[in-house]
Amino acid sequence: MTSNTGTRAWQAADARHHIHPFTDAAALAAQGARVIVRANGVWIEDSEGHRILDGMAGLWCVNVGYGNLELAEAGYQALRDLPYYNSFFQTTHPYAVELAAKLASITPPGLDRVVFANSGSEANDTIIKLTRYYWNLQGRPKKKIMIGRNMGYHGVTLGAASLSGLTPMHPQWDLPLPGFVYVDAPYWYGEGGDLTPHEFGLKAARSLETKILELGAENVAAFIGEPIQGAGGVIIPPDSYWPEIQRICAEHDILLIVDEVVCGFGRTGKWFGCDTYGIRPDFMTLAKGLSSGYIPISAVMLGTRVGDAIANANEELVHGYTYSGHPVACAVALKNIEILERDKLVEKAGNTIGPYLQDQLGSLRDHPLVGEVRGVGMIGAVELVADKASRRHFPPQMDVGPRCRNHCFSNDLIMRAIRDTMVVSPPLTISRAEVDELVRRAHMCLDLTAKEIASL
Ligand code: PXG
């Protein structure tokens, strides 16, 4: 599948027939999409034979790396043995049962029940419904407002996009829906001013309490947050933040939803972001790293009070997808967790390759464009600024982040630009030599970006 004629034909058909996610269709048609034909380890390969270092593990998801044949075989075996069955009408199957039990055992205590779905968005939509249902079951039907955060990302369905505080996600679709509001993100570098990170973490958390008091706790159903905000710009909370959020939710009887779609399955150097920050949520959203992105599957973990209420409701739960707990997806997820455990990939993310990645990324701090390098485990960010001392950003219309991203792309490195923050989230299987190569290319692309903006 590598040829120049192939590339042009695919690009033409792609431009004619395929509408891409989060893409300006006309701009892409003018330029032609890069055609990715295969992948192995941390490398993807395009139809012209270029090998590209994937610093993003796809979309923050290929935790065990590409080309893992054990996952392929687990899927193939399930396709042969039980290509489809569901758990709607008094049936189940070993794949879903075993995955549910496994997830209950590896997630923090209390998260003992699972509802399956197929994407992070669907899982978060499911949580919105289960939250409404929970408060209805409690006889408190007024408790319905959902609180998210500025720059939060929870998916694109009407509900999940409404939970998301990334403002560009709303206007095309007349969102958010009624009853969705946002509070501050713990974005110290961008918004902390003269406060210490500790002080700012408390301040950001207390914006939740202020909002709850303003709305009346009797009207507020739940708060949702990612342990580390991924798509919002790898916003790493100060240590003071999550304990204060936990206190506020408990004190005002608000359900706490932790979206682990990016942070789960080793990304932060522990199994879950909840383990890294000591959070005890009522709901946990899992997707991406659950199957290392090899096949669509997501899961909602239910904490004790929510799980007990729903399990003992004595009525039908009127919710579920044709593919909830799909046997092939469950088989791949089970094998994926087995590999993470057996190969100690989470421990390595926490103790060896993760610290090495952070250390090497840290070498970019001296670059004239770099204001902050931050990261935890196998997720990192390099924030570009016009002035280091005052943490002043470039004007957004200068497109400094996208320019840097384009240099990376031209130099066979995938890094995501979020505003002017360059982020990395590579497979947990990346080697030290590959980390060195990633950082070498990133450094070169920062130089190219500096040169380009100097000539504007
Ligand atoms: N929660 C979080 C925290 C996410 O990052 C979702 C939910 C939604 O998952 P699905 O499977 O419905 O996409 C996500 C997804 C990006 C990017 O460019 C990030 C995501 C998806 C696509 C692109 O950073 N995150």
Side-chain angles (χ1 to χ4, degrees):
M1 288 237 280
T2 305
S3 80
N4 292 341
T5 24
T7 302
R8 277 186 287 280
W10 281 316
Q11 287 174 332
D14 191 67
R16 174 71 185 85
H17 300 295
H18 180 194
I19 298 288
H20 290 230
F22 285 86
T23 299
D24 174 338
L28 181 65
Q31 168 195 334
R34 201 158 176 176
V35 184
I36 307 302
V37 291
R38 61 174 71 82
N40 196 37
V42 300
W43 300 89
I44 58 176
E45 190 179 320
D46 73 10
S47 54
E48 317 262 88
H50 296 108
R51 291 179 79 234
I52 306 163
L53 178 47
D54 184 5
M56 285 304 297
L59 288 175
W60 331 69
C61 56
V62 187
N63 289 16
V64 302
Y66 298 96
N68 189 304
L69 295 181
E70 287 182 272
L71 289 186
E73 270 148 28
Y76 180 61
Q77 193 63 45
L79 276 168
R80 291 175 64 129
D81 293 346
L82 187 68
Y84 178 76
Y85 209 70
N86 62 77
S87 45
F88 271 55
F89 304 119
Q90 301 173 10
T91 58
T92 191
H93 53 74
Y95 303 98
V97 177
E98 284 173 26
L99 182 58
K102 186 76 202 177
L103 289 173
S105 80
I106 63 175
T107 52
L111 296 157
D112 291 336
R113 293 186 179 90
V114 184
V115 176
F116 287 114
N118 309 290
S119 67
S121 303
E122 280 183 7
N124 281 326
D125 244 51
T126 299
I127 290 177
I128 297 169
K129 291 177 77 176
L130 295 181
T131 297
R132 291 182 174 197
Y133 185 38
Y134 173 76
W135 289 119
N136 288 343
L137 286 171
Q138 300 308 301
R140 302 180 70 186
K142 277 179 60 197
K143 257 176 114 58
K144 288 292 156 59
I145 298 174
M146 309 286 301
I147 304 183
R149 294 185 295 182
N150 298 334
M151 294 174 282
Y153 187 86
H154 302 291
V156 295
T157 53
L158 291 172
S162 294
L163 289 173
S164 304
L166 269 170
T167 46
M169 296 179 63
H170 296 152
Q172 288 178 350
W173 327 103
D174 305 332
L175 294 176
L177 297 171
F180 291 81
V181 301
Y182 313 97
V183 296
D184 294 347
Y187 178 29
W188 174 78
Y189 187 76
E191 296 169 356
D194 293 335
L195 299 180
T196 63
H198 180 87
E199 290 165 345
F200 182 72
L202 291 177
K203 178 169 182 261
R206 286 175 190 158
S207 73
L208 172 62
E209 191 154 45
T210 307
K211 183 62 83 181
I212 293 170
L213 293 172
E214 178 190 314
L215 297 164
E218 69 281 10
N219 300 313
V220 179
F223 168 79
I224 183 166
E226 305 149 73
I228 291 171
Q229 286 174 256
V234 181
I235 298 173
I236 300 193
D239 286 342
S240 56
Y241 180 78
W242 277 110
E244 187 67 358
I245 291 284
Q246 186 93 52
R247 174 193 70 76
I248 293 166
C249 288
E251 213 163 293
H252 299 279
D253 202 13
I254 307 298
L255 296 179
L256 175 55
I257 307 163
V258 174
D259 183 336
E260 294 266 9
V261 169
V262 163
C263 293
F265 301 95
R267 180 60 55 200
T268 67
K270 297 234 159 83
W271 272 91
F272 298 97
C274 282
D275 300 322
T276 297
Y277 292 107
I279 315 169
R280 298 292 293 271
D282 294 294
F283 286 107
M284 199 189 239
T285 323
L286 305 176
K288 294 193 190 276
L290 168 56
S291 63
S292 284
Y294 276 54
I295 198 160
I297 182 168
S298 65
V300 173
M301 302 303 300
L302 311 185
T304 311
R305 65 169 158 165
V306 179
D308 283 354
I310 289 170
N312 300 322
N314 292 315
E315 62 178 1
E316 182 179 313
L317 178 76
V318 189
H319 179 78
Y321 305 98
T322 301
Y323 303 128
S324 300
H326 191 287
V328 180
C330 290
V332 172
L334 273 166
K335 182 58 78 175
N336 177 61
I337 295 169
E338 185 187 318
I339 293 167
L340 287 168
E341 285 179 330
R342 184 196 65 205
D343 296 351
K344 303 204 170 357
L345 294 178
V346 181
E347 288 82 346
K348 287 180 184 165
N351 302 328
T352 54
I353 194 69
Y356 186 72
L357 173 71
Q358 300 303 335
D359 202 52
Q360 296 306 300
L361 282 176
S363 72
L364 301 174
R365 278 193 187 102
D366 295 334
H367 195 278
L369 284 184
V370 174
E372 187 184 52
V373 177
R374 54 180 179 265
V376 173
M378 295 299 282
I379 187 168
V382 178
E383 187 150 346
L384 311 183
V385 289
D387 180 55
K388 288 185 187 233
S390 64
R391 301 190 233 151
R392 181 167 51 83
H393 289 105
F394 290 98
Q397 62 275 18
M398 276 178 74
D399 277 340
V400 172
R403 285 175 199 277
C404 184
R405 190 235 5 248
N406 291 344
H407 285 299
C408 292
F409 206 36
S410 308
N411 286 284
D412 294 338
L413 170 65
I414 305 270
M415 273 178 101
R416 194 72 170 77
I418 299 169
R419 299 177 300 279
D420 289 345
T421 298
M422 306 305 300
V423 310
V424 289
S425 167
L428 310 186
T429 51
I430 192 170
S431 69
R432 283 176 184 239
E434 287 163 339
V435 167
D436 294 344
E437 184 58 20
L438 187 159
V439 174
R440 188 188 70 76
R441 291 187 194 190
H443 199 290
M444 177 179 76
C445 296
L446 287 172
D447 286 345
L448 292 168
T449 308
K451 217 161 129 191
E452 186 184 350
I453 59 179
S455 70
L456 288 178

